[in-house]
């Protein structure tokens, strides 16, 4: 793969025009109490307040917008049990395309219902005996559907980069930006925006400690594959970075940090109690990274990308109950 | 009492200038899913994202800002076990005044700690054997402190009105505005803003069904006193409206609605699950009112004042667990 195939900041700008009026321009929130505690000024870009409750809508809508008329009629297919499924389903509905979403038979009923609620055709598969990627490819080839991958696609990356672009537009230069890292779509898009709009800003990816393939890939220079990690950050249980995302991350990101599940619970509890925001565990990764580095960043201006807030309330409360003295 | 003593919209405008840069200009959030469900467009003014987690900061800061130099040196006193206590404590700290807050001995430790954390001198009283109003008056007279009432004060009302003023500035005309009602500070201030900025907008107060003194007062034309109502909306457990607040409400408000605790829990669950926001039960009153009237307001533009988000996470989760099939 050559770097010529990587998306650029111009692609992020073009994505911003495509999603304008469809995606929410999410608010940037701050907490003066937190700033006092950390000794730094923290700006939270709240993609938990994005449509479908996560940044994924940006990339999916951008990618679907670029399909030609024939492909729009044929429709799209995606496999996901998480936010990407709803992002593709809603984007397809808004753009008048049929969408097929592959979801595991044991996906939470609420997520199945939500995806069907957006008008998508949900195809169930057994995650223990069937290969979703194969089923997806078969559907794409057999029925002429466009397969929309969750992160390793230039249009998806460019769309995700619009969140950080809006953050810089709103608050100006930052000293450091902390971004959740799963497959790298949000991180690589954010890095494109940071390099163009805030060249001196350090960009950090933050992934679950139990699944530190991104950190190992970044440090070794080769994409590392791992088993599905055991972590509460279900949006970052990816097994490896993508070719496109890694190409940008190794070039434009400053370092990859990790956060434990306990740290994520502490951030969830803080966000709920002090900032009145519901964050999903994965959504807290950037916040956890900022807390880690704050002692070295006294007096600085930090950006935190909150990636999403999609967590069942029962699970939310159960996770909060598992933390002690964290608020 | 004559109407000449009532605050006006000019007082709200003056308050907005005093609190600028101190209070958060809170975001107005929307949910397209909710809009589809209700058949109306709903704009939520999110005072749960205000400093101290509730609109009360606006009125307290405005009232304290108007004290003269001698009074500032002497300090202020307030009695409250809720958001007003923290609002006065934080405002006093920001303005460099001593603050004494009377709180019941059985107030939640987190609230005592938060109030002390803002630097206030917390004086405990036994809510079963002591009269907090008498203690407050004694402190005010004996030590020359300015007593800052929670709602029945022109400067408090004017400050609270800035939230609705910001809402109208941001979204323009509305067909109806739904405002939580306890003692009437937020409702009367909101009504002043609505009458000036959106003359055709209907203004509704929404209070707990168990404590419908406001509705009875509005309909009878006389302030009705009740026993402390049993409701989860602890911020609206007031026993009667104030002279100033009632004077404005009877003149400028269109009607008073009531909401049951079950309705408030349903709104809390919806806000958490779909909008990713933590709301306290009292903070849901406006939302509950909008849901009630939505069938009669198809295609209209509705404003909802979210008054606050200060609820212990344990209680939050316990309340959400009590509702069935509400999300």
């Amino acid at each position: 793969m050559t770097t010529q195939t990587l998306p650029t900041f111009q692609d992020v700008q073009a994505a911003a025009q495509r999603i304008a009026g469809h995606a929410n321009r999410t608010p940037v929130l701050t907490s003066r109490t937190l700033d006092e505690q950390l000794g730094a000024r923290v700006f939270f870009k709240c993609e938990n307040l994005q449509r479908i409750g996560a940044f994924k809508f940006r990339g999916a809508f951008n990618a679907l917008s670029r399909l030609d008329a024939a492909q729009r009629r044929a429709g799209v297919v995606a496999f996901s049990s998480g936010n990407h499924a709803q992002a593709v389903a809603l984007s397809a509905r808004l753009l008048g395309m049929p969408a097929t979403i592959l979801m595991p038979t044991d996906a939470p009923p609420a997520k199945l219902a939500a995806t069907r609620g957006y008008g998508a055709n949900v195809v169930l598969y057994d995650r223990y005996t069937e290969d979703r990627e194969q089923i997806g490819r078969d559907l794409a080839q057999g029925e002429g559907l466009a397969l929309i991958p969750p992160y390793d696609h230039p249009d998806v990356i460019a769309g995700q980069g619009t969140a950080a672009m809006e953050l810089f537009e709103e608050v100006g230069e930052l000293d450091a930006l902390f971004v959740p890292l799963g497959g790298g779509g949000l991180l690589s898009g954010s890095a494109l925006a940071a390099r163009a709009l805030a060249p001196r800003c350090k960009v950090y990816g933050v992934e679950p400690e139990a699944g530190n393939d991104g950190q190992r890939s970044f440090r070794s220079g080769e994409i590392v594959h791992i088993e599905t990690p055991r972590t509460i950050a279900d949006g970052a249980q990816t097994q490896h970075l993508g070719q496109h995302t890694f190409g940008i991350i190794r070039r434009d990101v400053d370092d990859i940090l990790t956060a434990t599940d306990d740290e994520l619970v502490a951030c969830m509890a803080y966000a709920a109690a002090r900032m009145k925001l519901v964050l999903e565990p994965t959504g807290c990764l950037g916040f956890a990274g900022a807390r880690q580095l704050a002692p070295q960043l006294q007096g600085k201006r930090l950006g935190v990308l909150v990636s999403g807030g999609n967590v069942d309330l029962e699970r939310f409360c159960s996770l909060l109950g598992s933390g002690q003295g964290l608020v």
Side-chain angles (χ1 to χ4, degrees), chain A residues 270-309:
Chain A
Y270 192 96
R274 299 302 187 95
M275 302 182 67
K276 316 303 174 191
L277 295 174
V278 175
L279 273 51
E280 62 183 272
T282 310
C284 295
L285 283 162
F287 186 9
R291 278 168 55 129
Q292 285 176 17
L293 292 207
Q296 306 152 43
L297 295 169
Q298 292 298 292
K300 302 290 189 185
R301 289 159 55 85
L302 317 183
V304 166
L305 258 166
V306 172
S307 55

Side-chain angles (χ1 to χ4, degrees), chain A residues 170-306:
Chain A
E170 185 159 340
V171 305
E173 274 274 359
L174 294 171
D175 297 297
L177 177 65
F178 297 87
V179 185
L181 171 58
L186 184 62
L187 177 58
S188 57
S190 299
L192 293 177
R195 291 292 74 90
L197 299 176
R200 293 192 310 277
C201 180
K202 300 271 189 190
V203 178
Y204 297 99
V206 191
E207 67 186 347
E209 186 179 84
N212 68 338
D213 61 292
Q215 187 180 60
R216 289 163 57 196
S217 303
F218 184 79
R219 292 179 182 176
S220 71
E222 301 283 342
I223 294 176
V224 172
H225 290 246
I226 59 170
E227 294 290 304
T228 299
R230 297 175 71 93
T231 167
I232 60 171
D234 52 330
Q237 286 182 305
T238 40
Q239 297 178 261
H240 54 83
L241 300 179
Q243 293 294 332
H244 297 84
T245 58
F246 183 59
I248 295 168
I249 288 168
R250 64 185 304 191
R251 184 190 68 198
D252 289 339
V253 166
D254 290 279
D255 202 3
I256 310 288
L257 315 173
T258 65
T260 66
D261 283 358
D262 282 352
E263 289 178 289
L264 298 180
V265 170
C267 289
M268 280 177 70
Y270 192 96
R274 299 302 187 95
M275 302 182 67
K276 316 303 174 191
L277 295 174
V278 175
L279 273 51
E280 62 183 272
T282 310
C284 295
L285 283 162
F287 186 9
R291 278 168 55 129
Q292 285 176 17
L293 292 207
Q296 306 152 43
L297 295 169
Q298 292 298 292
K300 302 290 189 185
R301 289 159 55 85
L302 317 183
V304 166
L305 258 166
V306 172

